[in-house]
Amino acid sequence: MYLQDTLKQVESLKESIKEQEEESKSTKHHLEKVSAECATQGDEVTRLTKHIETLDASIASQKDSNEKLQLKYEQTARALEDTKAEAQTWLGANSLITEQKSV
C-alpha cells in the first residue's frame, strides 16, 4: 500500500512538473513578445526624440530669422520716418522759395 501511494505521488508530481513546464514555456513566449514590443517602442521613442530635436533646431532657426526680420523692419520704419521728415523739410523749403519768387 505504501508503495502504491508513493507511485501515485510520483505520478502526480510528474504531471505537476509537466504543467509547470508548459506554463513556463507560455510565460517565456509572452516575455519574448513583450520584449520585442519594448524594443519596437524603444525604436519609436528614439525616432520621435530625433524628430523633436530636429523641430527644436528648426524653431530656433526660425526664431533667429524672425528676430533678424524684426530688426530689418524696425530699421526700415526708422528710415521711412527719416525720409518723410526730410521730404517735409524740402516741401517747406520749396514753399518758401515759391513764396519769395512770387513776391
Side-chain angles (χ1 to χ4, degrees), residues 31-53:
L31 289 174
E32 288 170 349
K33 188 176 176 182
V34 168
S35 178
E37 288 176 13
C38 286
T40 300
Q41 289 177 356
D43 291 345
E44 183 68 7
V45 167
T46 299
R47 186 188 70 76
L48 289 172
T49 299
K50 287 179 182 178
H51 185 63
I52 289 168
E53 289 169 355

Side-chain angles (χ1 to χ4, degrees), residues 5-90:
D5 288 344
T6 303
L7 284 174
K8 285 181 183 178
Q9 288 177 344
V10 168
E11 289 301 317
S12 176
L13 286 172
K14 282 182 180 180
E15 188 64 33
S16 176
I17 288 171
K18 279 185 180 180
E19 289 173 1
Q20 288 176 0
E21 285 175 346
E22 288 177 17
E23 189 176 324
S24 177
K25 285 178 186 177
S26 175
T27 301
K28 181 181 177 186
H29 178 70
H30 179 71
L31 289 174
E32 288 170 349
K33 188 176 176 182
V34 168
S35 178
E37 288 176 13
C38 286
T40 300
Q41 289 177 356
D43 291 345
E44 183 68 7
V45 167
T46 299
R47 186 188 70 76
L48 289 172
T49 299
K50 287 179 182 178
H51 185 63
I52 289 168
E53 289 169 355
T54 301
L55 289 175
D56 284 346
S58 177
I59 289 168
S61 175
Q62 188 64 45
K63 184 178 178 184
D64 184 54
S65 179
N66 287 349
E67 288 171 356
K68 288 177 182 176
L69 285 173
Q70 181 65 31
L71 286 174
K72 188 69 173 173
Y73 169 79
E74 291 169 2
Q75 290 170 348
T76 302
R78 282 193 297 274
L80 182 60
E81 288 298 318
D82 292 347
T83 302
K84 183 179 173 184
E86 188 176 339
Q88 288 175 342
T89 301
W90 281 103

